[in-house]
Amino acid sequence: MKQPGIFSENQLNEQPDELLMGLIRHGNEAAFEILYQRYSLKMLHYFHKMLGSQEAKAQDFLQDLFVKIIEKAHLFNPEKKFSTWLYTLAGNMCKNEYRSMQVRRILTHSDEWEQLCGKDPSPEVLMDQQQFEDSLDKALRALEPIHREVFVLRYQQELSIREISQIVQCAEGTVKSRIFYALKKLSARLCVYHGLIKD
Amino acid sequence: MNKWEHQDERDLLALLEAKTYDMLSREERASLGAHISRETYERWRRLQLLARQSLKVGAGAQLKPDPTILPSLKTLMASRTRVKGPAPRLTLPLKKKPFRRQLSVYQAIAAAAAILFAIHISSNHWKQDVGLHAYPIFADSTSSSPQQIMLQDEDSVKDDSVLRLN
């Protein structure tokens, strides 16, 4: 591996994540900044969806995630893909949060679904994209964490099934199965949008 | 979840992401037909497209990383670098010097002196100190000539004492 300080800023921009991590291990701030620019927005959206659309919490988690990157850089194996490692770290942070806050219990006792699946939604509600997004957020929050995780990784982060299987450490078939299950659940829960979904 | 779903939903997901119902081949439709209606298939497909569009990073443009995060992270990184000092050298540890090179001249002289002293101790003089020359067995002059004495190592103690007595 090349030693820090031998790349210009432009050259650093073109380097793969794995090499940048090697430089970060040696305290290279420029490499860290580039990695932050590459992933901060994605990871913020990931945390936002995984933690129930709480922006402040998502921002905190984003900061904590990058603190981990600084502190645990020596644990990264450069032979493996950086993004897989990053999403694994982020996923573990979310799981810890679910455990500590018992988010699942709070969400499953919510009565929002009754409102969401009311009999007579207005056409305005049905057609409002923002409304759909809010409803999708709520529907995602009600999913089991393992289903929510793969769904967000697939449809928000647009990772391949293989990458997701490495992140969640299970077989590709299991990932597909979980995504499909999530899709089916969401379809049932977003019943008021069947008209919209039907196109 | 029934057996069919467990086995085929994995393939169904790939179809949902790639094809509309009309794009499915006859075989694909036949495999789905008995279990999923056209309406259900299209609804699921539409949902995953809407979800993808809705969830896509950047769709919610208002959501951006807090601008204070990066400077604080850089400060943390700088402080860690200062504490840890420069990056460790990526060289192998120095090999141990050979034993000879580790000895100074004075140590070599001292060692040689010690060896000579030990030889001296083990030579003739110690016998006088312990008085072995007083015993007749060591005083047997017929056992060997002075020339033989010079050549015999093992019997040198005995014969040397004879020489001295003579």
Side-chain angles (χ1 to χ4, degrees):
Chain A
M1 182 176 287
K2 292 182 176 180
Q3 291 299 304
I6 63 168
F7 291 113
S8 70
E9 199 166 324
N10 284 341
Q11 284 175 320
L12 266 182
N13 265 318
E14 295 162 5
Q15 300 307 318
D17 301 338
E18 292 73 23
L19 194 137
L20 293 180
M21 273 304 287
L23 298 177
I24 288 169
R25 204 183 309 176
H26 290 102
N28 189 314
E29 284 183 35
F32 177 78
E33 190 167 346
I34 289 167
L35 214 56
Y36 181 84
Q37 301 298 354
R38 280 183 195 173
Y39 284 97
S40 57
L41 187 62
K42 277 185 189 178
M43 299 317 296
L44 181 63
H45 279 83
Y46 174 77
F47 283 129
H48 192 248
K49 280 288 173 280
M50 291 295 286
L51 299 171
S53 301
Q54 299 177 61
E55 187 178 345
K57 191 178 267 187
Q59 298 279 9
D60 286 347
F61 271 65
L62 178 69
Q63 180 159 3
D64 289 350
L65 176 67
F66 279 90
V67 167
K68 280 185 199 297
I69 291 174
I70 294 170
E71 291 179 342
K72 312 276 183 189
H74 62 284
L75 297 179
F76 171 67
N77 179 357
E79 290 171 6
K80 297 197 172 171
K81 211 173 167 188
F82 170 74
S83 59
T84 305
W85 185 67
L86 187 66
Y87 281 109
T88 305
L89 277 182
N92 289 339
M93 288 170 69
C94 291
K95 282 173 199 163
N96 290 339
E97 179 65 7
Y98 297 149
R99 276 191 213 108
S100 63
M101 301 297 290
Q102 296 183 314
V103 171
R104 267 190 302 171
R105 186 181 60 77
I106 295 164
L107 291 173
T108 48
H109 288 296
S110 163
D111 59 357
E112 287 168 329
W113 296 115
E114 288 175 16
Q115 296 170 20
L116 196 63
C117 294
K119 294 265 180 185
D120 298 312
S122 67
E124 289 79 13
V125 168
L126 286 176
M127 295 307 293
D128 188 350
Q129 180 68 23
Q130 184 57 49
Q131 185 71 31
F132 175 77
E133 286 177 14
D134 292 345
S135 303
L136 181 63
D137 270 354
K138 288 171 187 165
L140 277 174
R141 271 183 272 162
L143 287 178
E144 288 287 318
I146 54 169
H147 296 119
R148 185 182 336 147
E149 183 180 26
V150 292
F151 194 83
V152 169
L153 288 173
R154 180 68 178 155
Y155 292 120
Q156 185 194 58
Q157 303 292 318
E158 300 194 320
L159 300 183
S160 70
I161 299 290
R162 171 169 285 189
E163 283 174 313
I164 297 171
S165 77
Q166 288 168 350
I167 291 164
V168 300
Q169 293 171 357
C170 64
E172 289 182 31
T174 309
V175 172
K176 288 180 187 176
S177 191
R178 286 181 186 176
I179 294 172
F180 185 77
Y181 180 85
L183 197 61
K184 230 165 50 166
K185 282 281 177 194
L186 291 176
S187 174
R189 284 168 176 172
L190 296 172
C191 55
V192 292
Y193 292 96
H194 281 178
L196 179 65
I197 290 166
K198 213 173 175 180
D199 206 21
Chain B
M1 190 178 291
N2 64 39
K3 191 181 176 187
W4 179 84
E5 284 176 330
H6 188 71
Q7 287 177 343
D8 292 305
E9 63 189 16
R10 297 164 188 184
D11 299 329
L12 177 58
L13 181 74
L15 292 178
L16 277 171
E17 289 188 0
K19 298 178 179 180
T20 64
Y21 194 84
D22 290 332
M23 290 164 74
L24 296 176
S25 68
R26 188 171 295 173
E27 293 76 24
E28 286 167 341
R29 274 190 214 185
S31 69
L32 298 177
H35 309 281
I36 301 171
S37 68
R38 180 192 193 101
E39 187 189 8
T40 307
Y41 181 91
E42 287 294 357
R43 195 168 64 230
W44 284 347
R45 177 174 160 73
R46 182 81 181 139
L47 175 64
Q48 61 98 11
L49 287 173
L50 278 172
R52 191 189 291 266
Q53 187 185 346
S54 180
L55 291 171
K56 203 171 178 181
V57 175
Q62 75 284 0
L63 195 63
K64 285 180 181 166
D66 187 329
T68 62
I69 292 178
L70 183 58
S72 66
L73 289 169
K74 286 169 83 170
T75 307
L76 171 72
M77 196 167 176
S79 67
R80 284 181 65 85
T81 310
R82 273 199 300 274
V83 170
K84 285 193 168 182
R89 292 177 59 187
L90 300 174
T91 52
L92 292 171
L94 287 173
K95 282 184 180 175
K96 224 175 173 182
K97 283 182 183 175
F99 175 71
R100 276 177 304 178
R101 290 187 190 170
Q102 287 182 325
L103 282 179
S104 69
V105 175
Y106 299 109
Q107 285 171 324
I109 292 170
I115 291 165
L116 288 172
F117 182 72
I119 292 168
H120 174 73
I121 289 294
S122 62
S123 67
N124 307 333
H125 302 289
W126 70 274
K127 290 190 295 282
Q128 289 179 345
D129 297 336
V130 297
L132 286 180
H133 59 277
Y135 291 92
I137 190 169
F138 293 107
D140 185 3
S141 59
T142 60
S143 60
S144 57
S145 68
Q147 286 77 17
Q148 285 173 316
I149 290 167
M150 295 299 287
L151 296 173
Q152 287 174 346
D153 289 330
E154 291 179 359
D155 297 333
S156 63
V157 172
K158 180 174 67 180
D159 294 335
D160 201 28
S161 65
V162 173
L163 274 176
R164 210 182 318 280
L165 288 170
N166 290 337

